[in-house]
Amino acid sequence: MVATLGVAREKNNKKAKEVKEVPVYIIGASISFADSVVYFTEVQKFDAVALENGFLPHRQYYAYELKDYMNFEENMPGRISIIFFEEKLNKLEKKIQKVKKHLAEDEGKIIRYLGDKFKFVKP
């Protein structure tokens, strides 16, 4: 029984090490197959986010938040929302530039920005 407790503690400690609080930069995109315009949010920084194995926890809520905004505030239902995040701003900017280039050149999409009308709320 003592050995079992030791193993359980070791597993709990290992999981605790995998979760770390770091600053995270987030940007969202809203796309529709029926529309040639792709909307991007501004990059937003959250100072302390506990990443879980390198993943943003509750990332689906950020996507729902953007989807609901586009549906109800911008009156654009049926759009797909995508969330991108990185710990380093320059890594996120490089990733987004690749995505925008692909959308504009390969897909013929028009890029627009929501500006400061939309802000993510940290869950």
Side-chain angles (χ1 to χ4, degrees), residues 35-115:
D35 187 0
S36 63
V37 180
V38 179
Y39 293 91
F40 279 87
T41 68
E42 295 295 321
V43 174
Q44 190 172 338
K45 180 182 178 185
F46 289 127
D47 288 324
V49 175
L51 296 180
E52 297 172 359
N53 297 320
F55 288 100
L56 182 67
H58 311 294
R59 58 195 169 279
Q60 71 274 18
Y61 297 135
Y62 295 105
Y64 293 143
E65 198 176 345
L66 179 56
K67 182 178 177 71
D68 287 345
Y69 173 83
M70 294 303 290
N71 188 14
F72 299 113
E73 299 298 323
E74 297 291 333
N75 198 25
M76 295 183 195
R79 299 184 70 83
I80 298 168
S81 296
I82 306 164
I83 303 303
F84 301 92
F85 70 94
E86 287 288 345
E87 292 179 47
K88 306 275 186 210
L89 180 58
N90 62 344
K91 272 182 92 172
L92 179 63
E93 288 172 341
K94 286 179 185 179
K95 182 187 290 187
I96 294 304
Q97 286 306 318
K98 282 184 181 180
V99 169
K100 288 178 182 175
K101 183 178 179 184
H102 172 75
L103 288 169
E105 292 178 2
D106 298 343
E107 306 268 334
K109 299 285 187 181
I110 299 165
I111 307 297
R112 297 243 168 91
Y113 301 93
L114 293 173

